[in-house]
């Protein structure tokens, strides 16, 4: 009979010392408007999965897509110091 044993490394792989750094948290904060806009776009697309797309749905998706593009533009055109060095942003 084989005993099932948990692997301790897998259980404790994300211990307290594995928290995100302040640079990573700042990058997430910078990207949060883009993330929120993408979630809104996904919500608008999900609403149309089980029914034909009508004019209001098409307008909702188009506006959500435009918000995503605007948020991405704002992130890309932000201040020069906004993007963090080291690939964190």
């Amino acid at each position: 009979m084989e005993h099932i044993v948990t692997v301790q490394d897998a259980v404790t792989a994300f211990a307290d010392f594995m928290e995100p750094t302040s640079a990573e948290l700042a990058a997430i904060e910078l990207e949060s408007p883009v993330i929120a806009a993408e979630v809104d776009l996904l919500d608008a697309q999900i609403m149309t999965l089980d029914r034909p797309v009508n004019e209001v749905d098409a307008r909702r998706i188009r506006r959500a897509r435009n918000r995503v593009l605007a948020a991405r533009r704002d992130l890309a055109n932000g201040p020069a110091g906004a993007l963090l060095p080291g690939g964190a942003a």
Side-chain angles (χ1 to χ4, degrees), residues 11-49:
V11 174
T12 59
F14 298 105
D16 291 340
F17 63 88
M18 296 291 292
E19 295 288 325
T21 64
S22 58
E24 292 170 336
L25 290 173
I28 292 170
E29 185 68 28
L30 277 175
E31 294 176 1
S32 64
V34 175
I35 295 169
E38 288 176 344
V39 168
D40 290 342
L41 174 60
L42 186 60
D43 287 342
Q45 291 171 335
I46 287 172
M47 285 193 291
T48 62
L49 287 178

Side-chain angles (χ1 to χ4, degrees):
M1 171 183 251
E2 291 186 36
H3 296 284
I4 300 174
V5 180
T6 61
V7 179
Q8 188 64 26
D9 291 337
V11 174
T12 59
F14 298 105
D16 291 340
F17 63 88
M18 296 291 292
E19 295 288 325
T21 64
S22 58
E24 292 170 336
L25 290 173
I28 292 170
E29 185 68 28
L30 277 175
E31 294 176 1
S32 64
V34 175
I35 295 169
E38 288 176 344
V39 168
D40 290 342
L41 174 60
L42 186 60
D43 287 342
Q45 291 171 335
I46 287 172
M47 285 193 291
T48 62
L49 287 178
D50 60 347
R51 63 177 183 205
V53 179
N54 58 28
E55 186 178 337
V56 174
D57 291 333
R59 187 179 307 143
R60 183 178 295 125
I61 291 171
R62 186 173 56 248
R63 287 181 180 170
R65 189 175 295 126
N66 288 338
R67 282 193 295 269
V68 168
L69 292 174
R72 287 180 182 172
R73 179 200 62 218
D74 293 343
L75 179 64
N77 292 335
L83 296 178
L84 301 174

